[in-house]
Amino acid sequence: LQSFAYAASHDLQEPLRKIVAFSDRIIKKEADNLNEQSLDYFSRIQRAAMRMQTLINDLLTYSRVTTQAQPFAKVNLAVIAVEVISDLETLIERTNGKVEVDSLPEIEADPTQIRQLFQNLISNGLKFHRPEVNPLVKITARVVNSEHTRLKWQREFLELTFEDNGIGIEERYFIKIFTVFQRLYGKDEYEGTGVGLSICHKIIERHHGQIKVESEPGKGSRFIVTLPINQNRTS
């Protein structure tokens, strides 16, 4: 992963930037001399290159969950939610969506990774919406206790639920969706690289938590994330 991250951030990004930049120059400079089919070809080249850039960036994020992890610290989830919703303002406006957030506490976590977790789950809830239905994402939280009778310990966890009214997921895909590159829909139907949920899964594993999904096609999805409120071990 470390080797890939270095190659992706240096050797792979630059050629793609040149493909996008020079094809854009040709379109602007030679627009009057290109027929409709040629313009369409250049447009396809640009879209393909930009999809590749997005994929590389997503894989970099995936690799950095472990290679560039930050120490655990107190994180105000309410602040994280507000900042992420602000960052997703364009997507919210484009989909005519809405995000409702319950009262959220502080937990001990990696701030950058928790922000990524919120961003991926909220954006998925907005993106995978049903036609003619305005997307709605609700985030709720509750504290739960876990006990280990034999080892005689008790620990508090925060159960976060990200619920949407979107297209839903068939039960047979519940495990597969957390695998890298697992896409359930074509790129022309819904944008994405199939890496987002695998990033979420990796972040949650690093925080010694769990994630599960409850869903039904056409009736939305609920992603339930359980995280320790306090980390009792080093990161």
Side-chain angles (χ1 to χ4, degrees):
L1 284 175
Q2 287 177 318
S3 298
F4 165 78
Y6 180 85
S9 60
H10 296 83
D11 302 332
L12 300 182
Q13 293 279 34
E14 188 57 31
L16 285 173
R17 281 193 286 266
K18 287 184 178 179
I19 290 170
V20 173
F22 282 101
S23 59
D24 188 56
R25 288 187 189 180
I26 292 172
I27 291 173
K28 289 179 179 178
K29 187 176 180 179
E30 304 293 338
D32 294 337
N33 300 320
L34 296 173
N35 59 33
E36 186 175 339
Q37 187 178 53
S38 297
L39 287 171
D40 178 60
Y41 288 161
F42 277 107
S43 178
R44 293 188 186 195
I45 289 170
Q46 286 188 311
R47 291 199 301 271
M50 286 187 284
R51 282 199 302 271
M52 189 64 181
Q53 281 184 322
T54 301
L55 177 59
I56 289 172
N57 288 331
D58 283 351
L59 287 173
L60 274 170
T61 301
Y62 181 82
S63 70
R64 286 169 178 165
V65 173
T66 51
T67 61
Q68 294 188 12
Q70 300 298 311
F72 293 136
K74 287 293 182 183
V75 178
N76 188 324
L77 297 183
V79 173
I80 293 287
V82 169
E83 292 175 349
V84 168
I85 291 170
S86 177
D87 290 344
L88 294 174
E89 184 177 3
T90 301
L91 177 59
I92 292 171
E93 290 180 353
R94 190 174 78 235
T95 59
N96 199 24
K98 185 177 180 182
V99 182
E100 297 179 354
V101 184
D102 196 3
S103 178
L104 301 178
E106 284 189 348
I107 66 169
E108 193 178 354
D110 181 327
T112 302
Q113 292 184 355
I114 292 298
R115 185 187 183 93
Q116 184 73 51
L117 175 69
F118 270 67
Q119 183 166 317
N120 286 1
L121 292 176
I122 294 173
S123 62
N124 274 2
L126 295 168
K127 183 170 59 179
F128 294 101
H129 65 274
R130 288 175 285 163
E132 311 303 327
V133 177
N134 295 338
L136 172 63
V137 179
K138 296 181 180 180
I139 305 172
T140 57
R142 70 185 184 105
V143 176
V144 296
N145 290 311
S146 180
E147 296 184 359
H148 197 300
T149 304
R150 184 172 60 83
L151 297 181
K152 297 181 180 179
W153 59 254
Q154 183 174 357
R155 200 173 184 188
E156 281 190 330
F157 289 80
L158 183 69
E159 185 179 275
L160 288 165
T161 300
F162 296 78
E163 182 175 2
D164 64 63
N165 63 344
I167 56 178
I169 304 167
E170 292 184 36
E171 186 175 356
R172 62 193 173 113
Y173 293 121
F174 284 2
I175 297 177
K176 292 182 179 180
I177 58 174
F178 297 110
T179 304
V180 179
F181 303 130
Q182 184 63 53
R183 289 179 54 91
L184 303 186
Y185 304 93
K187 64 180 183 293
D188 295 328
E189 295 178 273
Y190 296 95
E191 61 185 24
T193 58
V195 181
L197 285 177
S198 60
I199 292 172
C200 292
H201 188 267
K202 197 172 183 66
I203 288 172
I204 292 163
E205 275 193 335
R206 193 221 158 190
H207 284 75
H208 316 119
Q210 294 181 326
I211 183 171
K212 66 177 181 178
V213 59
E214 297 174 352
S215 184
E216 190 175 338
K219 296 186 178 181
S221 302
R222 298 173 75 241
F223 286 89
I224 302 168
V225 176
T226 306
L227 296 169
I229 292 180
N230 294 295
Q231 296 287 341
N232 293 337
R233 64 186 84 176
T234 60
S235 58

